[in-house]
Amino acid sequence: MDFELNENQTMIASMIKDFGEKEITPFRNKWDDDQTFPVDVMKKLGELGLMGVVVPQEYGGSGFGYDEYITAIMELTKLDPGVGLSMAAHNSLCTGHILQFGNEAQKKKWLPKLATAEWIGSWGLTEPNTGSDAGNMKTTAKKDGNEWVINGTKNWITHGKSSDITVVIVRTGEVGDSHGMTAFVVERGTPGFKGGKKEDKLGMRSSETAEMIFEDCRIPEENVLGEVGQGFIQSMKVLDGGRISIAALSLGIAEGAFEAALKYSQEREQFNQPIFNFQGISFKLSDMATKLEAAKLLTFRAAELKNNGKSVTKESAMAKYYASECAVEFSNEAVQIFGGYGYTKDYPVEKYYRDSKLCTIGEGTSEIQKLVISRSILK
């Protein structure tokens, strides 16, 4: 494995840095304060090819692999983790589900709009009373002639109000049956489909999180993704890839926090010398540097397997678990190194600190990752 940035990764990193200086950094605190989802920025990311990174060019995407995708998420996340999260959710979940399980007609119909960000995508699995326990979902779809009628509510949905299209997984069989759920594509404007409550969150506030409500929402048969009854099985495979994106999101926060703390430790003086000279600080940074490299190795290892079409269940869970815990630890240590200044909004580590916690929760908690890993190592 070669971990040097390839030409495409270098180009993407440079492009995002230049874009971020003009379009993200000047506005991120305002977005955070007001909990604004910058749809216009997502559209511009689409123009740059970042909203369809792994989508083949024949469907309007960039046609890159997961190495480039990880780099794009990391670099965006350093600028604003909320923007990184929205970009990752759009790519991995909604777009990724259609790319992986849609038929040719469905791919040609929806992927070009998603890959260019003409349409913003969302993905609905979680419900108010079924987080990790997705098998007990209450949202249902019942067949009525050539249509399916969906009723129920999904929550904690990224872009739940603002998305133009969603992939929603609902129950079409018995409760608890892993083969009793089906994935449907629903376009915004479909009667009976609307956004609900928008969550007021601790962090990731520039990424919209909201309910999706379905009330006698009629969906044509051709909007079924794959086979009826395969929605949950599909979702688990989609999440395998999605966890790589959350690992990348975590890496962006971890690296951003580390770089900010390292720079500050060399500039901040106490007792007539830079605070980096004190072992209490330098040892923290040494631990962070070592763990950061380990998290990168896990994440890019999962990406290599994904690029080669191999199973990534265990590896993506390991990468997501370890990198997300590092993100929380690093942002906490960065605030500590900054001292009182780290507790203010004048420096980015305060935001990294709040944003990081989502990484240990979204797309499967750290505890769920341990469950996935433990089951994998027993096989």
Side-chain angles (χ1 to χ4, degrees):
M1 296 176 67
D2 182 5
F3 292 103
E4 293 296 321
L5 293 183
N6 61 38
E7 184 177 348
N8 289 331
Q9 288 174 284
T10 302
M11 177 270 293
I12 288 170
S14 177
M15 177 180 69
I16 291 174
K17 181 180 179 181
D18 291 341
F19 175 81
E21 289 177 353
K22 300 175 184 177
E23 303 288 349
I24 297 178
T25 304
F27 312 106
R28 63 187 176 195
N29 285 347
K30 179 67 173 174
W31 296 339
D32 185 68
D33 289 341
D34 297 343
Q35 201 165 199
T36 299
F37 173 46
V39 176
D40 60 326
V41 171
M42 308 311 292
K43 301 286 187 181
K44 291 176 182 178
L45 291 176
E47 294 172 4
L48 296 176
L50 296 174
M51 296 296 273
V53 180
V54 300
V55 175
Q57 292 181 354
E58 63 186 288
Y59 301 120
S62 298
F64 290 132
Y66 265 70
D67 290 338
E68 289 85 359
Y69 182 36
I70 288 171
T71 298
I73 295 173
M74 285 180 63
E75 294 302 321
L76 275 175
T77 300
K78 288 182 193 178
L79 298 165
D80 184 342
V83 172
L85 172 62
S86 280
M87 177 268 201
H90 175 95
N91 275 272
S92 288
L93 299 180
C94 180
T95 305
H97 200 141
I98 295 171
L99 178 63
Q100 193 167 355
F101 294 103
N103 58 40
E104 192 62 22
Q106 291 170 332
K107 291 178 182 178
K108 288 181 177 179
K109 181 178 181 180
W110 291 310
L111 287 181
K113 293 181 179 180
L114 286 164
T116 57
E118 178 183 345
W119 282 9
I120 302 297
S122 61
W123 191 76
L125 178 65
T126 305
E127 297 185 2
N129 295 312
T130 57
S132 301
D133 185 19
N136 279 313
M137 66 174 57
K138 301 297 188 292
T139 302
T140 61
K142 297 187 181 299
K143 192 73 179 293
D144 183 14
N146 292 323
E147 295 180 319
W148 290 85
V149 183
I150 302 177
N151 281 285
T153 300
K154 297 291 182 177
N155 76 336
W156 307 115
I157 308 303
T158 304
H159 315 147
K161 291 175 73 74
S162 297
S163 59
D164 301 286
I165 184 173
T166 191
V167 175
V168 61
I169 298 87
V170 303
R171 184 163 55 82
T172 51
E174 297 300 317
V175 174
D177 180 6
S178 62
H179 291 85
M181 288 165 271
T182 303
F184 295 87
V185 177
V186 186
E187 296 181 12
R188 188 70 64 179
T190 302
F193 172 40
K194 63 182 181 181
K197 175 190 174 185
K198 180 179 177 180
E199 303 297 340
D200 187 4
K201 300 177 298 182
L202 168 72
M204 299 288 190
R205 292 170 61 84
S206 58
S207 178
E208 176 187 278
T209 304
E211 292 178 324
M212 294 193 304
I213 300 171
F214 300 87
E215 297 175 340
D216 293 329
C217 180
R218 289 184 170 270
I219 304 300
E221 181 73 27
E222 57 263 30
N223 283 32
V224 174
L225 279 180
E227 297 180 10
V228 173
Q230 291 296 304
F232 182 76
I233 307 302
Q234 294 173 8
S235 297
M236 295 303 100
K237 293 179 181 179
V238 170
L239 285 172
D240 280 349
R243 284 166 181 157
I244 298 176
S245 71
I246 301 301
L249 185 76
S250 303
L251 283 176
I253 294 176
E255 189 164 83
F258 168 71
E259 290 176 352
L262 178 61
K263 183 174 184 291
Y264 184 79
S265 73
Q266 295 168 299
E267 297 172 347
R268 173 67 167 172
E269 290 193 356
Q270 293 286 274
F271 305 102
N272 301 315
Q273 59 184 308
I275 61 173
F276 182 85
N277 290 350
F278 302 111
Q279 285 187 349
I281 302 298
S282 63
F283 281 13
K284 287 181 185 292
L285 291 161
S286 297
D287 285 341
M288 292 162 72
T290 303
K291 292 179 180 180
L292 181 60
E293 289 304 310
K296 286 182 179 178
L297 288 170
L298 284 169
T299 304
F300 279 99
R301 167 61 174 159
E304 181 189 42
L305 293 173
K306 184 70 174 176
N307 284 335
N308 292 324
K310 297 181 179 179
S311 173
V312 295
T313 301
K314 179 182 70 175
E315 288 77 9
S316 65
M318 286 179 168
K320 194 271 188 187
Y321 165 55
Y322 188 75
S324 65
E325 294 292 339
C326 282
V328 174
E329 178 187 344
F330 288 18
S331 57
N332 180 52
E333 291 286 37
V335 170
Q336 192 70 19
I337 290 170
F338 271 77
Y341 290 110
Y343 205 65
T344 72
K345 293 180 180 290
D346 294 334
Y347 292 90
V349 294
E350 176 270 344
K351 189 172 186 301
Y352 288 141
Y353 183 71
R354 288 185 291 107
D355 290 343
S356 66
K357 190 55 191 171
L358 184 278
C359 298
T360 67
I361 299 171
E363 294 195 34
T365 63
S366 292
E367 290 73 23
I368 288 294
Q369 304 314 312
K370 292 179 182 180
L371 182 64
V372 171
I373 295 165
S374 65
R375 287 175 175 173
S376 297
I377 62 179
L378 287 175
K379 291 181 179 179

